[in-house]
Structure formats: C-alpha cells, structure tokens
Amino acid sequence: MEVSDMVAAWHGGGPGPWFLVFPLFWLAVIVTLAFLFRRRRWGHWHGGSGQDVLGERYARGEITEEEYRRRKAVLSEQAR
C-alpha cells in the first residue's frame, strides 16, 4: 500500500478519527456512573454532622421526640 492510498483511506474511504468517538463516549459514561455511585455510597455512609443525622432519624420516626432532644443536648455540649 502506497502512502497516497493510506492518505486516501484515512480521509475519504476509512472511518477517519471517528473510530475514537464511541469508545470515548462509553468510557465517559462508565466514569460518570462510577463517580456518581461512589459519591452516593460515600454520602450514605457519611451522612453529615451528628445533628444532621439525628434530625434525619427523628424525621424518619426512628427515635422519639424525647430521645431527639436528649441526644441533641448531648451533641450541643460536645460541640462547645
């Protein structure tokens, strides 16, 4: 194959640089999904400050109002 044939195949007859588009697209999709999954998982395990977690547990009904106030007071004392 001569150089002129290679140039013709690259510019007119072949896929050109487009053969990179689809693999790069899927790589971007996979990296984005992995990033979102890790971020969601990290956020699940580290729910924020103690008072945030306490508020969420109270909102879900996992603890009573009395227990919420008692634990919030303890957290407030520890923050000082």
Side-chain angles (χ1 to χ4, degrees):
M1 183 176 235
E2 293 182 18
V3 175
S4 62
D5 292 336
M6 290 176 20
V7 171
W10 181 259
H11 289 290
W18 292 104
F19 74 97
L20 292 174
V21 171
F22 291 109
L24 290 176
F25 169 76
W26 286 114
L27 180 66
V29 168
I30 291 168
V31 168
T32 302
L33 291 174
F35 174 76
L36 292 175
F37 176 74
R38 286 178 52 108
R39 183 174 178 192
R40 180 175 177 224
R41 185 172 157 203
W42 182 83
H44 177 72
W45 290 104
H46 301 89
S49 72
Q51 288 188 355
D52 291 342
V53 173
L54 187 62
E56 290 174 9
R57 289 189 63 200
Y58 176 66
R60 287 193 300 261
E62 294 177 8
I63 58 175
T64 64
E65 182 178 355
E66 178 185 333
E67 188 175 3
Y68 170 76
R69 292 184 187 276
R70 183 172 44 86
R71 291 183 180 202
K72 186 174 179 185
V74 170
L75 288 173
S76 296
E77 288 176 14
Q78 289 177 352
R80 294 180 192 183

